[in-house]
Amino acid sequence: MLELHDITAGYDRRTPVVRNVTLAVAPGEAVGLLGPSGCGKSTLARVAALLHRPDSGTLLLDGEPVRRWRHRAPRAHRTVLGVVFQQPRLAADPRLRLTDLIAEPLRATGRRDEIPHSVDELAAAVGLTRDLLDRRPHEVSDGQLQRACLARALVLRPRWLICDEMTAMLDASTTAALVAAVENYRAASGAGLLAVGHDQLLLDRWCDRTLHWDDLAVGAKTKPAQPTR
């Protein structure tokens, strides 16, 4: 299970953007998180991805409490999570070719021998042709770059995938292709999914269940925050 319990988080402890929110994603389950822009759902997604330490609350991975975040998190925690962000141009090193972008996590974890096979396999799975792999971000479209970012998120075969507004900037055909690639991966791997967005129709069609931010945040202002464990 990927479990977030009573999470309060933000960028100023005096004014947190997430207050006392709890949610869980079971293995193989697809959960949508629906909310308007600026409500705090992306901050919660960053907490779930170990990219932002909460002010209080507990994150559990398969029952084990997470105690370290970002680069301090154990490799065993970081490598079971794959993340795709809304804006691929902010998430990609502009100096890297797409093939190197996809291979980044393999190099970082000392698995260079897997690069040729994994990159070719995932490029095909997300719809990137071989000629695109030698291009840099400024030489491809937003949709093509987001395909590469999805392939990068999948290259370590994560057990949990977090898609934060992954398709918000894309056209309908690219959105359909990326959602299909995620679902093919989940069907083959049994991975769980947390899909964050503001398009209820997409989330309802994509996910097993959709959580509404307003429902998660009910009573948040009246509940005292607990210290991070």
Side-chain angles (χ1 to χ4, degrees):
M1 291 283 286
L2 172 63
E3 302 171 80
L4 295 95
H5 292 285
D6 213 21
I7 296 293
T8 292
Y11 307 95
D12 183 336
R13 281 181 173 270
R14 295 168 296 181
T15 55
V17 295
V18 176
R19 292 177 182 268
N20 306 102
V21 170
T22 294
L23 66 83
V25 184
E29 183 184 28
V31 175
L33 178 56
L34 176 71
S37 297
C39 69
K41 61 188 187 298
S42 290
T43 299
L44 188 68
R46 289 179 63 83
V47 171
L50 309 188
L51 296 175
H52 185 83
R53 184 183 183 94
D55 298 330
S56 62
T58 304
L59 171 61
L60 301 174
L61 282 173
D62 295 323
E64 182 181 351
V66 171
R67 305 185 188 282
R68 297 180 181 273
W69 307 83
R70 297 182 67 85
H71 64 281
R72 295 181 180 274
R75 179 179 292 183
H77 286 169
R78 286 184 280 117
T79 55
V80 299
L81 294 160
V83 189
V84 189
F85 300 100
Q86 177 179 353
Q87 300 184 54
R89 299 201 182 278
L90 298 181
D93 187 331
R95 301 167 296 179
L96 296 181
R97 298 177 303 153
L98 297 195
T99 187
D100 298 318
L101 176 71
I102 297 169
E104 267 187 305
L106 291 173
R107 288 196 175 90
T109 53
R111 296 161 57 178
R112 292 173 179 266
D113 58 320
E114 300 177 31
I115 289 175
H117 173 73
S118 294
V119 169
D120 287 347
E121 180 183 35
L122 284 168
V126 300
L128 286 174
T129 56
R130 183 172 292 277
D131 62 298
L132 293 173
L133 294 179
D134 285 330
R135 299 184 187 179
R136 289 176 170 77
H138 72 277
E139 298 173 313
V140 298
S141 68
D142 286 345
Q144 290 165 338
L145 185 55
Q146 190 68 307
R147 290 172 191 259
C149 289
L150 174 58
R152 176 180 61 183
L154 299 179
V155 76
L156 294 181
R157 308 297 179 185
R159 291 190 292 109
W160 307 100
L161 188 62
I162 299 168
C163 297
D164 182 14
E165 301 273 14
M166 177 182 74
T167 63
M169 301 176 64
L170 307 179
D171 59 36
S173 62
T174 305
T175 293
L178 290 184
V179 169
V182 168
E183 289 308 289
N184 288 340
Y185 173 76
R186 292 203 318 111
S189 68
L193 168 70
L194 177 62
V196 175
H198 60 264
D199 185 337
Q200 183 166 0
L201 181 60
L202 173 62
L203 292 180
D204 286 347
R205 288 181 173 179
W206 185 3
C207 300
D208 300 314
R209 58 190 175 100
T210 300
L211 305 174
H212 294 253
W213 183 262
D214 288 345
D215 295 334
L216 290 178
V218 166
K221 293 183 178 180
T222 62
K223 294 174 63 180
Q226 300 298 317
T228 302
R229 298 178 188 174

